[in-house]
Amino acid sequence: MKTENLESIARKLVAPGKGILAADESSGTIEKRLKSISVPSTEENRRAYREVLFTTKGAGEFISGVILFDETIRQKTRDGRTFVKALEEQGIIPGIKVDKGAKGMANFPGEKITEGLDGLRERLAEYRKLGARFAKWRAVIAIGEKIPTHTCITANAEALARYAALCQEGDLVPIVEPEVLMDGAHTIERYFEVTQETLESVFHALYEHRVSLEGMLLKPNMVLSGKDCPKQASVQEVAEATVRCMKRVVPGAVPGLVFLSGGQTDQQATEHLNAMNQLPDLPWQLSFSYGRALQAPVLKEWKGEQANVAKAQQAFHHRAWCNSKARFGKYTEDMETAKVA
Ligand code: 13P
């Protein structure tokens, strides 16, 4: 019974035309985002900003789930509904980030290991009671000279698998996120190689920990040229490399891949998703779980002012619509300036 429930939630999260909004920025990250529009990171400003996103009318047409942060899952709208309830009223499934952040890995300079396994079973039970139906854990793999090491990759894969097993035990769909960073001058070929090795290690650990693949989602990075690589791959090259890499290592039993945007511009992230969905023979749903790529235009319009809420919500609705079109491979550049239809 439990497994059936997990599978049905996982499938709903990657329903055709829909994707996930990652709004689970930790305190440090949201402070950075708000600072970029000169808004101080007070609890009320963080709440008000998230309310803009979560109460956007019609968002449920394009957004299947929202990932919340510990503080956010406990907050309410101005009219007193919990955020969980406000999302559910829009047909959106609430989720929760449960890792405690990526910390420097002892003895491995430049590499990180994600913390948060201690007490996780109890925290998951509480989040489930608060209304979460899925969870997220992010591992971070950096590319550089002599890194990533095998030790860093396998330590993170093991933690991801232990997290995923605990989620399924607690009736939450785990989103497994091993993010290989785009920061650096690496070529797309190198990015491919490291992404493949990382995902192989992750799926091996998931198998060892008896995680049900049908009851989880993978949140991978796309395979592109490193941010500072002098030769930037085209949209078509990125789409082909990413799908080729995923096909090698991600079992078809996984219902969907929800890509992170990882520092791409909002338009790039949409273009890449669109091009991937135009490729033939895709064994899984290819969707999005974007943070920055969905929120950048919203922050820009909102600027911390109640008077700008309508414009900010329009920007969010529009961005979500563009990505919804990309889920079908039907996005075109002229939609950037078009009205949602
Ligand atoms: P970005 O799309 O901004 O990479 O955020 C997604 C996310 O949830 C990272 O953990």
Side-chain angles (χ1 to χ4, degrees):
M1 282 300 280
K2 252 190 183 172
T3 321
E4 246 171 59
N5 187 34
L6 289 174
E7 290 181 21
S8 120
I9 299 274
R11 279 198 305 267
K12 278 190 193 143
L13 286 169
V14 291
K18 293 189 185 189
I20 297 171
L21 163 69
D24 60 326
E25 296 82 7
S26 57
S27 313
T29 309
I30 192 68
E31 185 172 357
K32 249 196 284 176
R33 302 276 187 271
L34 293 177
K35 212 169 160 192
S36 75
I37 51 164
S38 308
V39 172
S41 183
T42 60
E43 183 179 350
E44 173 49 23
N45 287 341
R46 294 192 291 270
R47 192 207 61 75
Y49 172 58
R50 262 75 178 241
E51 176 162 350
V52 173
L53 296 167
F54 304 162
T55 59
T56 296
K57 282 210 179 62
E61 199 184 330
F62 314 125
I63 300 293
S64 55
V66 171
I67 317 175
L68 304 165
F69 182 57
D70 182 75
E71 175 184 271
T72 325
I73 199 172
R74 303 169 198 280
Q75 287 175 322
K76 293 184 176 160
T77 57
R78 282 205 313 173
D79 61 17
R81 291 168 299 152
T82 63
F83 277 160
V84 166
K85 181 138 196 294
L87 290 171
E88 283 169 353
E89 282 170 4
Q90 299 238 59
I92 297 174
I93 306 172
I96 181 80
K97 172 227 234 6
V98 301
D99 66 70
K100 295 218 158 175
K103 310 283 164 65
M105 183 157 142
N107 291 336
F108 290 82
E111 299 200 284
K112 290 189 165 164
I113 178 77
T114 300
E115 296 186 347
L117 287 170
D118 287 355
L120 182 57
R121 175 177 275 134
E122 293 73 23
R123 288 197 292 124
L124 293 176
E126 189 199 0
Y127 289 139
R128 183 131 198 338
K129 265 203 204 121
L130 288 170
R133 291 297 173 264
F134 70 100
K136 180 192 106 171
W137 177 291
R138 172 174 178 255
V140 180
I141 306 293
I143 301 182
E145 214 182 312
K146 301 215 176 107
I147 62 167
T149 60
H150 180 70
T151 311
C152 174
I153 290 176
T154 51
N156 275 294
E158 182 72 10
L160 275 166
R162 287 182 58 195
Y163 139 81
L166 281 165
C167 282
Q168 292 187 338
E169 178 195 85
D171 211 12
L172 289 157
V173 171
I175 294 190
V176 173
E177 181 182 9
E179 175 175 4
V180 183
L181 296 175
M182 67 187 281
D183 305 282
H186 45 275
T187 60
I188 187 168
E189 290 79 14
R190 173 92 173 114
Y191 208 170
F192 187 112
E193 199 177 88
V194 176
T195 302
Q196 178 174 339
E197 188 186 344
T198 301
L199 291 176
E200 258 175 11
S201 181
V202 167
F203 280 97
H204 177 70
L206 290 168
Y207 173 75
E208 290 286 337
H209 285 266
R210 304 178 179 172
V211 171
S212 151
L213 298 181
E214 290 83 357
M216 63 159 273
L217 295 172
L218 178 71
K219 177 161 173 168
N221 53 281
M222 296 180 197
V223 175
L224 13 94
S225 312
K227 233 182 197 158
D228 305 322
C229 179
K231 188 181 166 294
Q232 289 291 311
S234 68
V235 170
Q236 196 57 26
E237 283 165 345
V238 169
E240 284 171 13
T242 304
V243 169
R244 190 175 169 80
C245 183
M246 300 298 143
K247 278 191 173 175
R248 286 193 183 174
V249 281
V250 184
V254 176
L257 278 52
V258 291
F259 288 94
L260 59 95
S261 61
Q264 303 175 53
T265 65
D266 42 5
Q267 196 172 332
Q268 274 169 345
T270 306
E271 285 170 355
H272 288 147
L273 181 67
N274 187 59
M276 285 192 276
N277 274 308
Q278 289 176 344
L279 295 173
D281 307 322
L282 300 169
W284 345 256
Q285 294 289 320
L286 291 188
S287 185
F288 57 91
S289 173
Y290 294 158
R292 282 162 283 183
L294 277 168
Q295 294 186 47
V298 189
L299 277 167
K300 223 167 83 193
E301 293 292 348
W302 180 57
K303 299 187 195 85
E305 302 285 339
Q306 188 59 28
N308 296 334
V309 167
K311 267 200 298 189
Q313 292 189 326
Q314 211 173 13
F316 177 50
H317 191 248
H318 179 263
R319 202 68 241 151
W321 172 65
C322 288
N323 284 304
S324 169
K325 291 285 179 193
R327 288 281 276 105
F328 300 111
K330 293 256 156 62
Y331 160 84
T332 50
E333 205 183 335
D334 55 1
M335 288 174 184
E336 290 298 329
T337 47
K339 276 214 153 87
V340 174

